[in-house]
Amino acid sequence: MASVYAKLMRDINTKIAECEEEKKKLTEELTVTLTMKQNYDFFVRCLLALPDQNKAGRRLNINGIHVQGSLFADYDGKGKEEERKQYLEGSLNPEDYLADAPDFLPFDKSMFLTFFSRGVVRKDVVEYTTNFGVRVECPGCGRNLNSFLGFRKVTEDGNLEMITENWQVNGRQIQYRRKRKSGTR
C-alpha cells in the first residue's frame, strides 16, 4: 500500500513541476506581451506628440502616398529642370509654391532607435520590425539628394526656403565621398 502512495506522490510532484514550468512560461509570455503593449502605447504617445507645424509656424506638408514628388522632382528623384529653371529665374512666384511644397523633415534617430529593432532592405522598400511586434513596410527609400528638390526647409533664422540645389538638403556641411577607382564597382 505504501508503494501506491509513493507512486501517487511522485505523480503529483511531477504534475506540480510540470504546472510550475507551464506557469513560468506563461508568466514570461505575459511579461513580453505587457512590455510590447507598453512599447506600443509609448509609440502612439510619441506619434501624437509630433508637431503639426514646422518651425516657421506653417502646417506641415508631408510627402506621402497622395503626394508624388515636388515642383522640381518626381517621386523617383528625376529632376524637372524646366520648372526649376523658371523658379530660379523668378518667373514663378516663390510664395505660391512654398505654401504647397512638401516639408523636408529631419530624420529622428531617437525614435528610430527606441521603436525599431530590425530593418530588411528589399530594393526600394525597407521592412522594419518594431519592438511591439508590428512590421512596417516603407517604400521610397531609394531616394537621392535630387528627390528633395522642391521641398521646403526651415532655415536657422526661422524662414522657409525652397530646396533648389542638392547642397541645401544637408546644409553647408562638408561631406566626404570616396571616389571609386576606375574599373571597379
Side-chain angles (χ1 to χ4, degrees):
M1 192 84 156
S3 66
V4 173
Y5 289 119
K7 183 180 182 308
L8 187 57
M9 281 301 290
R10 279 193 306 274
D11 289 345
I12 290 172
N13 286 335
T14 302
K15 193 66 170 170
I16 288 172
E18 288 173 0
C19 287
E20 286 177 351
E21 185 63 31
E22 183 69 20
K23 179 183 174 187
K24 181 182 173 186
K25 287 180 184 177
L26 289 172
T27 302
E28 289 172 0
E29 288 178 15
L30 180 62
T31 302
V32 168
T33 303
L34 287 174
T35 301
M36 289 172 71
K37 182 185 179 325
Q38 289 172 340
N39 289 342
Y40 175 75
D41 290 343
F42 183 49
F43 178 70
V44 169
R45 285 194 310 272
C46 287
L47 288 179
L48 292 174
L50 288 173
D52 59 352
Q53 292 184 342
N54 59 27
K55 292 182 180 180
R58 292 205 185 166
R59 182 156 180 75
L60 283 174
N61 291 332
I62 306 300
N63 197 359
I65 294 172
H66 62 287
V67 178
Q68 299 298 315
S70 68
L71 174 65
F72 303 144
D74 65 16
Y75 184 74
D76 295 323
K78 183 180 175 193
K80 299 177 184 176
E81 285 304 315
E82 187 60 36
E83 290 85 348
R84 184 172 166 269
K85 181 181 174 187
Q86 289 174 355
Y87 184 88
L88 291 172
E89 289 174 349
S91 58
L92 300 177
N93 182 5
E95 278 304 312
D96 292 342
Y97 294 96
L98 274 175
D100 295 327
D103 280 278
F104 177 76
L105 302 173
F107 178 72
D108 188 346
K109 187 176 180 180
S110 64
M111 278 189 71
F112 178 80
L113 293 173
T114 301
F115 298 111
F116 295 92
S117 57
R118 181 171 182 236
V120 177
V121 179
R122 291 187 186 93
K123 294 187 180 181
D124 191 31
V125 177
V126 179
E127 181 183 284
Y128 295 105
T129 304
T130 65
N131 61 4
F132 46 87
V134 175
R135 287 197 175 119
V136 180
E137 283 192 3
C138 299
C141 295
R143 292 180 176 176
N144 57 37
L145 293 179
N146 286 338
S147 302
F148 298 103
L149 294 176
F151 279 52
R152 66 184 185 185
K153 183 177 180 180
V154 180
T155 62
E156 290 180 19
D157 57 2
N159 294 317
L160 284 176
E161 71 176 2
M162 185 76 76
I163 297 177
T164 58
E165 303 291 338
N166 290 344
W167 63 265
Q168 291 174 300
V169 173
N170 292 321
R172 295 186 183 270
Q173 303 169 7
I174 295 175
Q175 300 196 13
Y176 297 95
R177 294 197 175 100
R178 185 182 300 180
K179 289 188 178 185
R180 291 184 186 168
K181 294 179 183 177
S182 61
T184 61
R185 287 188 149 207

